Amino acid sequence: MKKFYSPLALLFLTVLLSGCATTKDIEVETASDPKVNLEGYKTYAWLGSAEVLNDPEGKWQPAKFDISSDIKFLIDSELRSKNLTEVADQDAEVAISFFTGVDMDAQQLKTDPATDVEIPENVPKAALIVVALDIKTGYVIWMGVATGDVKEGASVKETKARIAYAVNKMFNPRFYDSWFK
C-alpha cells in the first residue's frame, strides 16, 4: 500500500538511500532530450517535490534532519555551478522538481554461497528523481535518477554523504553527456 507524505518525508527516504558512507549500491542515470539545446537555458524555478513510501510493516524510521531541504540545497548548488540562475516562476525557462521514494518491502535475489541457490530477501530501496522541464512547451528536457539500498540505522552524516554523492554524480559531466558541462 502506498502512502503519500510531505516532501520532507520523501527527502528523508532519499537520504536513507544515502544512509551509509559507502556508495557502491547507488546507481545513477540521466537522460536528456537530444533535440533540445540544453546549454541555451539560463534560468530556472522550482516546480515542487513529492515523496512516496511503501511500508506495509511500518519499519521505516524518519530521518533526523530535513532531507527535502538538503536535496533542494544540493540541486540548487549544482544548477548555480552550471551558471543557471533561480528566478521567479513567471520568468523561468526551466522548471525543476524532484521526487523521492522508499520501498521498505522491496525484494531482490541473493545467492546462497553454500548451495549456489538464489533465494529472495528483503532489501529496502530508495530513489531520487530530478526532472527539468521546458516551461514554454511543458516537455521534460532532462531527468536524473538515483537508486540505492535504504541503510537502516545510518547516521545523519552517512545519510547526507550518500545523498550528496547521488546528486553530485547526477549533475557531473564526467559521467553523463548533458547540458551540465
Side-chain angles (χ1 to χ4, degrees), residues 16 18 43 50 52 83 93 121 130 137 139 143 154 159 165 177:
L16 286 178
S18 43
T43 60
V52 176
N83 296 318
E93 299 166 301
E121 81 173 337
V130 180
T137 66
Y139 294 134
M143 180 185 306
T159 302
Y165 170 84
D177 182 25

Side-chain angles (χ1 to χ4, degrees), residues 60-172:
W60 184 76
Q61 297 296 313
K64 293 176 175 53
F65 66 99
D66 184 350
I67 292 174
S68 294
S69 291
D70 274 31
I71 292 172
K72 183 182 180 300
F73 175 82
L74 292 166
I75 294 169
D76 276 331
S77 296
E78 292 290 342
L79 293 172
R80 288 181 182 132
S81 74
K82 310 304 186 225
N83 296 318
L84 287 152
T85 303
E86 184 175 5
V87 297
D89 295 353
Q90 66 272 15
D91 298 326
E93 299 166 301
V94 176
I96 303 290
S97 61
F98 66 91
F99 309 90
T100 58
V102 172
D103 184 357
M104 294 300 289
D105 205 28
Q107 298 286 312
Q108 75 180 28
L109 292 177
K110 177 180 178 181
T111 304
D112 181 346
T115 62
D116 211 24
V117 173
E118 290 186 337
I119 55 172
E121 81 173 337
N122 178 259
V123 181
K125 298 288 184 183
L128 168 64
I129 302 170
V130 180
V131 177
L133 60 96
D134 182 289
I135 294 208
K136 287 182 184 172
T137 66
Y139 294 134
V140 172
I141 56 172
W142 180 88
M143 180 185 306
V145 178
T147 59
D149 297 339
V150 171
K151 301 294 183 182
E152 298 178 81
S155 70
V156 169
K157 181 179 178 181
E158 291 171 326
T159 302
K160 285 185 174 202
R162 287 176 52 86
I163 292 172
Y165 170 84
V167 171
N168 180 267
K169 189 169 181 183
M170 194 178 288
F171 287 90
N172 192 323

Side-chain angles (χ1 to χ4, degrees), residues 21-40:
T22 180
T23 56
K24 294 177 194 171
D25 62 295
I26 299 174
E27 295 180 14
V28 178
E29 295 182 38
T30 66
S32 60
D33 184 341
K35 299 175 295 216
V36 175
N37 175 16
L38 295 171
E39 291 179 5

